[in-house]
Amino acid sequence: MNLNEDIIFLEKQFVNGNLSTPKIIDSDVTNFCTYLGNTNKPYYLKTEPFHWSRVNCCDLNVKKVVREQGGRVVFGYKIWSIPKLYIEASLHCIWENPNGDLIDITPNEDGEETVLFLPEPRLNTVRLQREGEKPRLALKETLVEYVDLFIKQQLAVGCVYPSDEDIWKNNISYKRLRKKLNKKRR
């Protein structure tokens, strides 16, 4: 692909929500973890949501289960990519249950059931001040300038969060998400 084809392809992936969990932990992933200043190793987790777990509410999901069952919150990043083109990290948190098992109880909106999680002990929130603060990296030289411009554009947009109660009420539960995804598959 040439520069314009690369950009058009990447834009379509963004619009269609085609970021996904990297299939393997390759040099692109390990270099990105280093770029984040993180010396921890990422690992795969199968999502194990409760029926009440909400999409895009990892902090609220984990706080609820910790209150009800114990354990603790583990902050870090969920890594998404478009292989060989682009990689990004979303702030994320998972549950460490009282037995020490690490569990991702937050369903992915697209139904993807495995995540690549990178623990980050320096984090204590999953909420950004600006969308452009999300770590992103072009993996192909022809896309570096485009991704840099995308980040600058996103930095201009502040994040406004509704109350936790409104977020919980308005985000789809895992139970409803499964019904929605099952209808799409038919």
Side-chain angles (χ1 to χ4, degrees), residues 133-157:
E133 294 171 356
K134 180 187 289 186
R136 297 176 161 97
L137 194 62
L139 298 175
K140 191 169 182 184
E141 190 62 38
T142 56
L143 296 172
V144 170
E145 187 175 347
Y146 171 77
V147 171
D148 287 346
L149 288 171
F150 181 74
I151 291 168
K152 287 177 185 168
Q153 174 202 16
Q154 293 292 304
L155 281 170
V157 178

Side-chain angles (χ1 to χ4, degrees), residues 1-20 80-88 136-151:
M1 284 191 251
N2 65 34
L3 172 63
N4 288 337
E5 289 171 337
D6 285 346
I7 290 172
I8 291 167
F9 179 78
L10 190 59
E11 282 180 346
K12 283 182 183 176
Q13 303 311 301
F14 286 151
V15 168
N16 295 327
N18 288 340
L19 290 171
S20 63
W80 300 97
S81 74
I82 300 169
K84 303 298 176 198
L85 293 179
Y86 174 84
I87 192 166
E88 72 176 35
R136 297 176 161 97
L137 194 62
L139 298 175
K140 191 169 182 184
E141 190 62 38
T142 56
L143 296 172
V144 170
E145 187 175 347
Y146 171 77
V147 171
D148 287 346
L149 288 171
F150 181 74
I151 291 168

Side-chain angles (χ1 to χ4, degrees), residues 94-157:
I94 61 172
W95 175 44
E96 182 178 339
N97 72 15
N99 297 328
D101 301 318
L102 298 171
I103 304 168
D104 188 355
I105 63 167
T106 303
N108 290 305
E109 195 164 9
D110 63 0
E112 198 166 342
E113 296 178 345
T114 301
V115 298
L116 184 58
F117 184 75
L118 176 66
E120 178 50 84
R122 297 174 292 183
L123 292 174
N124 62 6
T125 185
V126 294
R127 299 190 184 190
L128 298 169
Q129 296 300 310
R130 301 200 174 289
E131 184 62 25
E133 294 171 356
K134 180 187 289 186
R136 297 176 161 97
L137 194 62
L139 298 175
K140 191 169 182 184
E141 190 62 38
T142 56
L143 296 172
V144 170
E145 187 175 347
Y146 171 77
V147 171
D148 287 346
L149 288 171
F150 181 74
I151 291 168
K152 287 177 185 168
Q153 174 202 16
Q154 293 292 304
L155 281 170
V157 178

Side-chain angles (χ1 to χ4, degrees), residues 7-46:
I7 290 172
I8 291 167
F9 179 78
L10 190 59
E11 282 180 346
K12 283 182 183 176
Q13 303 311 301
F14 286 151
V15 168
N16 295 327
N18 288 340
L19 290 171
S20 63
T21 301
K23 301 295 180 226
I24 59 170
I25 300 173
D26 61 8
S27 61
D28 288 338
V29 172
T30 56
N31 290 340
F32 183 61
C33 294
T34 301
Y35 167 79
L36 294 172
N38 191 307
T39 57
N40 294 310
K41 300 279 188 241
Y43 47 85
Y44 291 99
L45 289 172
K46 183 166 176 40

Side-chain angles (χ1 to χ4, degrees), residues 65-94:
V65 77
V66 166
R67 257 191 333 270
E68 293 175 357
Q69 298 185 29
R72 71 179 187 98
V73 179
V74 177
F75 290 98
Y77 297 102
K78 183 166 35 173
I79 299 175
W80 300 97
S81 74
I82 300 169
K84 303 298 176 198
L85 293 179
Y86 174 84
I87 192 166
E88 72 176 35
S90 298
L91 294 174
H92 193 58
C93 64
I94 61 172

